[in-house]
């Protein structure tokens, strides 16, 4: 058991300040939706800095690179505000050990590379490159020529990732998550062994390897002690999203939990498909050699109480979790001040019943446009859904009505062919052993196919991967013009004869002609290249640039370009998973029916059903003012293996219990009155049309 206290923001400042120096037990801060997780960590960090803790003695771990920058900025703002009030000067503090789990792991591995038998200049390969290696090995092992279809490269990579991050045997992963691949157990074992060996040979680590190697490093006492001595305080964001490797890294490096503070919300643990386990946060109070302090934040600064009542009831009906009821900031303030004024009654969340997904789309479009007429911009409204294709019908209606929208989950910026080309050029210059990058670049040159590319790589290996040797290589005649530029460029960039600030531009200058040769729309694509060059200037060196972009890639080019133009306005479409951490004034949730919420595959599995409940809760708590839960009686399901595309009937979600329904208003679209009017109009029109047609022959 643990002692729980609930804090507001002012109390939090005092609590973090008092616990800063003398008493440093492991601390778990349960920060519910909208209670300000980022602000909590920023205040904690600021208090440490104000108490004289050196920035380099603070390890701050987040789940996204942008979150690291935000935390640093907020912490500095708080520090500056306090010192300004005391009339003390202050310059912004840099937190050198602020980053994602994966970027921190990468830095620790490079620092201690010699101790664990790896080369410090390893390349971090992204998921796309990892899939290419898997695909190459599938062919080499002749698994693609079998009678029965061998799993695709993406599936193979997903299986491998589950095994690594969940520390689960292959047989168990196949049985639980990939039953259709169970017959390939032995072949997959050989494939993954070859994959691990290939990465070692190419001095490359993938996304999962960073955690795996770091986890094993944390189990070596001598190395663990060195890391432990580097830091006084360890702060971890979004702890509910950690997997067994990540929690194992923390426990390995900091076994007593001294100075460790984690912030999270068990009610938002929705990433089990990425091997995250909610058990990490639920069992945290008992994980270390000294008991943990547990602090809960229950004041929500986002949603009105009607939405929070719905969320509280939904979570209360679950079987696990800390179950911290949330209270709106306005209501809390009224209660604290015992004010007589009445808090303005907000709109009760709606459960909207519609006939099908076409009516669902019509309703949303009408509501979105009506809200815009009330001066609520499109960007402050969002439509959330379980799976990407659920928005297909809505997208057609939005297009028909000329309503602009942006959908989270399109082609990622770094997956665009021309962007990958340029990054592969830089990666090959960085790591001569990286064959995947070498192959991609070489095959861009005229006269060089797979066999010729293989010869170049073999020649390079024969000369101990000395890039200078490429100047003497006899390239095919058709490639000679490019080769005279490429060979010295690779050598000069590799040896840092070209300063880092100029490297990407220099590489891009060579690539520009290749871009024009290979892509008709090269003018448009060159804009992305220029954007990437600009982004590179934010990084101190090549290694940090390539690593950070592989670990936390921007979702789309717009993410790199900065904020959209002030006049741009568009509706947000997003999966619930992608919407986590976001908020909008008005939110619509599609297809709230059995089969989607909860997913049909979760039924019968206690842990899976608990996560389904949390997923719906995340969707609900994205809304500030208006929440519309859409309940179609039937909806379109594409690409059914057995039956083809078809409509299916949606039963009422089992999460919509009698208690939950009391927190919702019911609505029907179209309303019975509107339907009756339309029926009468239609009947009258049909009568008139029949008369006109018959009159033609009278």
């Amino acid at each position: 058991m643990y002692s729980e206290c609930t804090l507001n923001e002012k109390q939090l400042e005092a609590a973090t300040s008092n616990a800063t120096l003398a008493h440093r037990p492991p601390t778990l801060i349960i920060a519910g939706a909208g209670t300000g997780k980022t602000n909590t960590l920023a205040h904690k960090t600021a208090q440490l800095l104000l108490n004289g803790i050196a920035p380099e003695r603070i390890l701050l771990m987040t789940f996204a690179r942008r979150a690291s920058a935000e935390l640093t900025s907020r912490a500095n703002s708080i520090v500056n505000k306090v010192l300004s009030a005391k009339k003390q000067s202050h310059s912004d503090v840099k937190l050198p050990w602020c980053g994602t789990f994966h970027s921190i792991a990468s830095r620790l591995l490079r620092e201690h590379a010699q101790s664990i038998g790896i080369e410090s200049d390893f390349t971090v390969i992204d998921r796309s490159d990892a899939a290419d290696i898997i695909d190459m090995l599938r062919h080499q092992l002749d698994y693609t020529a079998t009678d029965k279809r061998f799993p695709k490269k993406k599936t193979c990579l997903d299986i491998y990732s589950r095994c690594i991050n969940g520390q689960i045997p292959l047989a168990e992963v196949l049985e639980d998550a990939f039953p259709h691949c169970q017959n390939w157990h032995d072949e997959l074992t050989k494939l993954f062994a070859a994959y691990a060996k290939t990465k070692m040979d190419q001095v490359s680590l993938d996304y999962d390897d960073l955690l795996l190697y770091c986890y094993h490093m944390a189990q070596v006492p001598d190395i663990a002690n060195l890391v432990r001595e580097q830091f006084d305080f360890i702060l971890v964001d979004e702890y509910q999203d950690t997997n067994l490797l990540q929690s194992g890294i923390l426990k390995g490096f900091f076994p007593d939990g001294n100075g460790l503070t984690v912030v999270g919300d068990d009610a938002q643990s929705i990433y089990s498909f990425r091997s995250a386990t909610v058990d990490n946060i639920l069992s945290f109070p008992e994980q270390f050699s000294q008991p943990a302090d547990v602090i809960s934040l229950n004041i929500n600064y986002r949603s009105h109480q009607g939405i929070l009542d719905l969320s509280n009831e939904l979570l209360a009906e679950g079987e696990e979790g800390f179950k911290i009821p949330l209270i709106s900031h306005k209501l809390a303030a009224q209660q604290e001040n015992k004010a007589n004024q009445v808090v303005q009654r907000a709109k009760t969340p709606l459960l909207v019943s519609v006939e099908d997904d076409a009516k669902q789309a019509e309703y949303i479009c009408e509501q979105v446009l009506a809200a815009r007429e009330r001066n609520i911009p499109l960007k402050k409204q969002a439509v959330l859904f379980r799976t990407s294709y659920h928005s297909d019908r809505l997208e057609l209606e939005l297009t028909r009505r000329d309503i602009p929208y942006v959908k989270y989950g399109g082609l990622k910026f770094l997956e665009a062919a021309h962007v990958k080309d340029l990054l592969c050029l830089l990666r090959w210059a960085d790591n001569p052993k990286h064959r995947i990058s070498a192959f991609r670049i070489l095959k861009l040159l005229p006269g060089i196919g797979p066999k010729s590319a293989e010869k170049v790589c073999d020649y390079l290996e024969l000369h101990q991967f000395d890039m200078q040797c490429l100047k003497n290589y006899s390239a095919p005649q058709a490639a000679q013009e490019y080769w005279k530029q490429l060979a010295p460029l690779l050598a000069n960039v590799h040896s840092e004869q070209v300063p880092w600030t100029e490297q990407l531009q220099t590489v891009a200058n060579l690539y520009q002609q290749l871009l024009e040769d290979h892509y008709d729309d090269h003018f448009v694509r060159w804009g992305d290249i220029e954007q990437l060059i600009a982004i590179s200037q934010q990084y101190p060196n090549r290694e940090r640039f390539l690593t950070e972009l592989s670990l936390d890639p921007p979702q789309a080019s717009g993410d790199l370009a900065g904020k959209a133009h002030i006049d741009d306005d568009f509706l947000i479409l997003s999966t619930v998973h992608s919407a986590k951490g976001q908020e909008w004034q008005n939110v619509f949730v599609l297809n709230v029916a059995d089969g989607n919420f909860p997913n049909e595959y979760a039924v019968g599995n206690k842990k899976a059903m608990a996560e389904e409940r949390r997923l719906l809760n995340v969707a609900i708590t994205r809304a500030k003012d208006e929440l519309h839960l859409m309940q179609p009686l039937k909806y379109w399901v594409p690409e059914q293996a057995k039956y083809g595309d078809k409509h299916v009937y949606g039963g009422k979600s089992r999460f919509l219990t009698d208690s939950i329904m009391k927190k919702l208003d019911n609505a029907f679209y179209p309303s019975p009155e509107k339907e009756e009017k339309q029926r009468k109009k239609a009947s009258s029109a049909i009568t008139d049309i029949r008369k006109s047609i018959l009159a033609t022959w009278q």
Side-chain angles (χ1 to χ4, degrees):
M1 294 298 290
Y2 59 90
S3 61
E4 182 187 305
C5 58
T6 301
L7 307 178
N8 61 30
E9 188 174 311
K10 290 181 181 178
Q11 292 169 322
L12 174 67
E13 288 186 40
T16 55
S17 179
N18 294 335
T20 293
L21 297 176
H23 185 51
R24 303 190 294 154
T27 301
L28 169 62
I29 300 176
I30 302 293
T35 58
K37 286 191 240 355
T38 303
N39 209 38
T40 301
L41 272 183
H43 271 84
K44 176 78 175 180
T45 306
Q47 290 294 331
L48 293 173
L49 294 170
L50 288 167
N51 279 303
I53 303 299
E56 65 273 13
R57 303 288 299 174
I58 301 172
L59 174 59
L60 186 54
M61 304 174 84
T62 67
F63 270 75
R65 176 167 44 83
R66 288 170 289 282
S68 301
E70 174 72 6
L71 276 169
T72 304
S73 174
R74 286 199 195 185
N76 271 304
S77 177
I78 295 165
V79 171
N80 193 47
K81 187 177 179 181
V82 171
L83 292 181
S84 295
K86 296 180 180 179
K87 297 183 178 179
Q88 297 179 20
S89 61
H90 167 65
S91 55
D92 281 354
V93 174
K94 290 187 178 180
L95 295 165
W97 285 97
C98 179
T100 66
F101 259 99
H102 292 83
S103 67
I104 295 294
S106 175
R107 288 183 62 187
L108 290 173
L109 289 174
R110 293 187 196 278
E111 276 196 9
H112 302 279
Q114 192 173 358
S115 303
I116 57 175
I118 62 173
E119 296 180 38
S120 62
D121 61 344
F122 59 82
T123 294
V124 179
I125 60 173
D126 60 22
R127 193 166 176 82
S128 177
D129 284 344
D132 287 345
I133 294 175
I134 288 281
D135 199 39
M136 176 187 72
L137 294 171
R138 286 166 73 246
H139 288 286
Q140 288 182 1
L141 294 167
D142 289 330
Y143 292 163
T144 54
T146 55
D147 293 335
K148 292 184 178 179
R149 196 171 180 182
F150 191 76
K152 294 180 179 178
K153 61 183 181 181
K154 183 183 180 299
T155 304
C156 292
L157 200 58
D158 288 344
I159 294 169
Y160 175 84
S161 190
R162 286 277 188 112
C163 291
I164 298 299
N165 287 294
Q167 291 293 279
I168 305 170
L170 175 59
E172 188 177 330
V173 169
L174 294 177
E175 183 181 358
D176 292 347
F178 302 89
H180 59 290
C181 300
Q182 282 182 286
N183 293 335
W184 298 106
H185 176 276
D186 293 347
E187 290 82 359
L188 286 167
T189 301
K190 292 177 183 175
L191 174 65
F192 296 153
Y195 177 54
K197 177 69 165 54
T198 300
K199 287 183 293 180
M200 289 178 184
D201 292 343
Q202 296 188 11
V203 195
S204 299
L205 272 66
D206 67 18
Y207 199 66
D208 302 321
D209 290 334
L210 293 171
L211 296 183
L212 182 64
Y213 277 64
C214 197
Y215 170 80
H216 284 288
M217 187 172 80
Q219 314 313 311
V220 182
D222 289 344
I223 302 176
N225 285 333
L226 289 174
V227 174
R228 193 176 307 125
E229 289 168 2
Q230 286 181 249
F231 307 108
D232 292 324
F233 291 90
I234 309 94
L235 312 178
V236 184
D237 192 18
E238 303 284 7
Y239 193 69
Q240 78 280 349
D241 293 332
T242 53
N243 58 38
L244 287 176
L245 283 180
Q246 290 162 327
S247 63
I249 289 169
L250 290 175
K251 284 186 283 188
F253 286 138
F254 315 103
D256 60 1
N258 200 34
L260 174 63
T261 297
V262 304
V263 181
D265 180 12
D266 59 289
Q268 296 188 65
S269 178
I270 58 174
Y271 289 114
S272 64
F273 65 93
R274 294 181 185 169
S275 300
T277 171
V278 72
D279 293 341
N280 280 349
I281 193 169
L282 294 178
S283 62
F284 182 89
E286 297 85 33
Q287 282 182 359
F288 300 91
S289 58
Q290 56 180 322
D293 288 344
V294 179
I295 299 170
S296 65
L297 305 179
N298 73 334
I299 306 300
N300 178 289
Y301 296 88
R302 176 186 299 154
S303 310
H304 62 73
Q305 195 59 46
I307 292 171
L308 299 181
D309 287 344
L310 177 63
S311 169
N312 292 338
E313 185 64 31
L314 179 68
L315 296 177
E317 293 184 359
E319 295 184 18
E320 65 178 22
F322 292 100
K323 299 183 180 179
I324 310 295
L326 298 177
I327 183 170
S328 74
H329 174 60
K330 289 182 180 178
L331 187 58
Q334 185 190 26
Q335 292 174 349
E336 186 178 342
N337 300 325
K338 296 181 180 178
N340 294 321
Q341 75 269 20
V342 178
V343 177
Q344 188 177 1
R345 189 176 183 274
K347 193 171 182 180
T348 304
L350 280 176
L351 178 66
V352 185
S353 298
V354 293
E355 181 182 356
D356 53 24
D357 48 359
K359 293 296 183 186
Q360 180 174 245
E362 286 179 22
Y363 172 85
I364 290 171
C365 288
E366 288 183 12
Q367 292 295 318
V368 163
L369 293 173
R372 189 168 65 171
E373 290 299 313
R374 300 195 304 271
N375 294 320
I376 300 172
L378 295 177
K379 281 195 290 191
K380 290 188 176 182
Q381 305 182 69
V383 182
L384 309 182
F385 34 86
R386 175 61 187 262
T387 306
S388 185
Y389 71 77
H390 284 179
S391 67
D392 288 354
R393 184 65 184 81
L394 173 62
E395 290 179 58
L396 290 173
E397 187 67 14
L398 291 169
T399 303
R400 188 181 73 79
R401 297 190 186 216
D402 201 25
I403 301 174
Y405 68 91
V406 169
K407 185 175 180 179
Y408 291 169
L411 180 66
K412 292 181 179 178
F413 179 76
L414 297 185
E415 292 175 1
H418 54 294
V419 176
K420 277 195 72 70
D421 288 345
L422 189 64
L423 287 175
C424 280
L425 244 173
L426 195 62
R427 276 203 191 95
W428 189 23
D430 185 68
N431 179 4
K433 296 179 181 178
H434 200 240
R435 285 204 172 208
I436 291 294
S437 293
F439 260 62
R440 185 180 185 99
I441 297 307
L442 289 167
K443 288 191 292 184
L444 289 174
L445 306 186
I448 295 184
K451 289 185 178 179
S452 298
E454 187 81 32
K455 288 180 181 177
V456 175
C457 292
D458 290 345
Y459 180 84
L460 188 57
E461 185 174 358
L462 188 65
H463 290 79
Q464 286 72 52
F465 299 99
D466 181 1
M467 281 296 196
Q468 296 290 340
C469 76
L470 293 179
K471 297 177 184 178
N472 302 320
Y473 183 79
S474 181
Q477 187 62 40
Q480 283 289 334
E481 186 178 342
Y482 279 116
W483 195 258
K484 290 176 184 176
Q485 303 173 61
L486 179 64
L489 174 74
L490 290 168
N492 292 339
V493 171
H494 176 74
S495 61
E496 305 284 357
Q497 291 185 29
V498 179
W500 160 241
T501 53
E502 301 172 17
Q503 284 183 18
L504 202 59
Q505 182 64 66
T506 305
V507 170
N509 291 340
L510 170 65
Y511 177 66
Q512 188 169 13
Q513 187 57 52
L514 290 168
L515 182 74
E516 294 177 8
D517 292 347
H518 286 271
Y519 303 103
D520 291 334
D521 57 346
H522 55 87
F523 293 110
V524 176
R525 294 174 186 260
W526 182 252
D528 289 337
I529 301 299
E530 289 180 322
Q531 197 174 92
L532 197 64
I533 294 168
I535 292 299
S536 73
Q537 304 305 303
Q538 300 174 15
Y539 294 86
N541 52 54
R542 185 173 66 222
E543 176 266 309
R544 286 287 295 276
F545 172 69
L546 290 172
T547 299
E548 293 289 336
L549 247 63
S550 296
L551 296 181
D552 188 23
Q555 296 297 305
S557 57
D559 288 353
L560 288 177
K563 294 182 179 179
H565 192 273
I566 196 166
D567 293 331
D568 291 342
D569 195 21
F570 41 79
L571 182 66
I572 305 297
L573 309 186
S574 173
T575 63
V576 179
H577 285 97
S578 296
K580 189 169 164 290
Q582 305 296 314
E583 61 180 41
W584 295 274
Q585 201 162 334
N586 295 356
V587 169
F588 305 83
V589 186
L590 299 186
N591 300 344
V592 181
D594 252 23
N596 287 317
F597 295 99
N599 186 284
E600 58 187 313
Y601 298 111
V603 177
N605 184 314
K606 188 175 177 180
K607 280 190 171 294
M609 285 296 289
E611 180 158 324
E612 291 296 306
R613 182 179 298 276
R614 295 193 295 269
L615 186 69
L616 180 57
N617 182 65
V618 168
I620 288 169
T621 52
R622 298 312 94 195
K624 297 172 71 173
D625 296 330
E626 290 188 18
L627 173 65
H628 306 247
L629 303 181
M630 307 302 302
Q631 181 180 251
L633 300 179
K634 59 183 180 180
Y635 48 90
W636 190 251
V637 179
E639 300 178 9
Q640 295 288 294
K642 189 174 181 180
Y643 304 106
D645 294 354
K646 67 169 189 174
H647 274 99
V648 298
Y649 290 87
K652 182 180 177 182
S653 170
R654 64 194 68 199
F655 291 145
L656 300 179
T657 62
D658 291 345
S659 298
I660 293 292
M661 292 300 293
K662 291 176 182 177
K663 309 296 183 183
L664 291 163
D665 280 346
N666 284 295
F668 302 89
Y669 180 85
S671 65
E673 296 82 6
K674 187 176 180 181
E675 281 191 303
E676 180 61 22
K677 284 182 181 179
Q678 288 177 337
R679 190 189 64 77
K680 287 180 177 178
K681 284 182 180 179
S683 176
S684 175
I686 290 170
T687 301
D688 290 342
I689 290 169
R690 284 176 175 174
K691 286 180 180 177
S692 298
I693 291 173
L694 291 173
T696 305
W697 308 106
Q698 291 176 355

